[in-house]
Amino acid sequence: MRIDLVSIFCDYFAPLQLSLVGKAISSGLVDLGVHDLRDWTHDRHRTVDDTPYGGGAGMVMKPEPWGEVFDALVPADGPTPVLVIPTPAGEPFRQSIAAELAEADWLLFACGRYEGIDARVSEHARTKMQVRELSLGDYVLNGGEVAALAIVEAVVRLIPGVLGNPESLAEESHGSQLNGELEYPVFTKPSTWRGLEVPPVLLSGNHGEVDRWRLEQARRITAERRPDLLQFGE
Ligand code: JF5
């Protein structure tokens, strides 16, 4: 998969060289490109923002540098990427969207700052490529970079060959998180730590009882923390 990231703070993407995503890049499974939006400005101050039409506080990202960087990265005659635009006004990002994006050959991230990107950038891009405006959650970040990092990590670990242990993926999709239930609590050695015992059923060797206990715990935790997930899910 090819992944391009456009930003005015490219240093945010340094951590992508670490850990699992870093290995996916060094092994060639992921081809990562990071691009400074200011390289597509033409004025002395490399201006990327301007005041909002209609008034209001803050600044808006000018459309021209975005148009130029997309023209440079996406030739008119070739394949097109899925354009991902992180924004609190986007569709809520979730595991099923990560799975869809993991099927793409090419993702292009547009990381906005200030009050966002001139709305015509997304509108124009939709005439050339698939566009996904995605929200990580109901809170405001200073820019799209941190959201892009999270989305890249959620997507790259789903690319075949990236995760060391595909069983972990199978287990995830089986019950927890995505399929409407939170994960049950997990424990490892020692069996007693600072006066706290591991639930004895987990030491019993009775797999049927272990499975029942985990299901019950997952339901209890989901009911407490995410009752919205319990309303319908299977
Ligand atoms: C951003 C305009 C982008 O704050 C976010 C965000 C929150 N959830 N998902 C993304 O992105 C930064 C802020 C304002 C555009």
Side-chain angles (χ1 to χ4, degrees):
M1 175 185 286
R2 176 174 168 192
I3 300 178
D4 288 291
L5 297 141
V6 181
S7 165
I8 60 169
F9 290 112
C10 293
D11 291 350
Y12 267 97
F13 304 119
L16 290 176
Q17 303 304 323
L18 302 174
S19 189
L20 189 121
V21 178
K23 284 200 185 77
I25 295 166
S26 59
S27 77
L29 280 167
V30 169
D31 177 14
L32 188 80
V34 175
H35 313 273
D36 185 346
L37 180 70
R38 293 194 198 275
D39 291 348
W40 282 271
T41 60
H42 301 287
D43 64 310
R44 158 183 310 277
H45 296 107
R46 313 224 292 165
T47 309
V48 294
D49 62 335
D50 206 338
T51 53
Y53 277 121
M59 300 291 272
V60 172
M61 292 194 106
K62 297 162 60 61
E64 300 97 318
W66 289 107
E68 291 210 26
V69 69
F70 294 164
D71 288 349
L73 294 177
V74 187
D77 53 2
T80 57
V82 177
L83 177 63
V84 178
I85 308 178
T87 164
E91 174 186 11
F93 183 59
R94 54 188 181 277
Q95 191 66 27
S96 60
I97 298 177
E100 288 171 29
L101 296 180
E103 303 270 314
D105 293 321
W106 184 8
L107 300 178
L108 169 57
F109 287 82
C111 301
R113 289 254 141 189
Y114 316 109
E115 304 307 310
I117 304 170
D118 185 302
R120 292 168 295 181
V121 171
S122 166
E123 185 188 345
H124 184 263
R126 278 173 210 279
T127 69
K128 319 255 173 198
M129 57 193 115
Q130 190 190 329
V131 177
R132 304 290 301 256
E133 297 192 36
L134 298 176
S135 166
L136 271 203
D138 294 335
Y139 44 82
V140 181
L141 305 169
N142 284 331
E145 288 80 5
V146 165
L149 281 174
I151 294 168
V152 166
E153 183 160 308
V155 168
V156 167
R157 62 191 294 281
L158 299 181
I159 297 173
V162 168
L163 209 71
N165 176 13
E167 254 182 48
S168 319
L169 275 187
E171 200 155 294
E172 272 173 15
S173 59
H174 187 239
S176 54
Q177 266 102 351
L178 34 161
N179 283 346
E181 214 163 68
L182 300 183
E183 193 53 276
Y184 49 76
V186 296
F187 302 85
T188 186
K189 293 173 279 297
S191 63
T192 306
W193 177 74
R194 299 193 177 187
L196 300 172
E197 302 290 336
V198 170
V201 61
L202 299 179
L203 311 179
S204 71
N206 184 330
H207 298 299
E209 273 193 50
V210 167
D211 288 348
R212 268 192 302 282
W213 181 86
R214 285 177 168 168
L215 193 68
E216 175 190 299
Q217 292 295 310
R219 291 198 173 137
R220 178 184 59 77
I221 289 171
T222 305
E224 282 174 15
R225 302 179 188 171
R226 294 293 304 279
D228 57 305
L229 294 181
L230 276 185
Q231 299 304 327
F232 296 102
E234 50 262 82

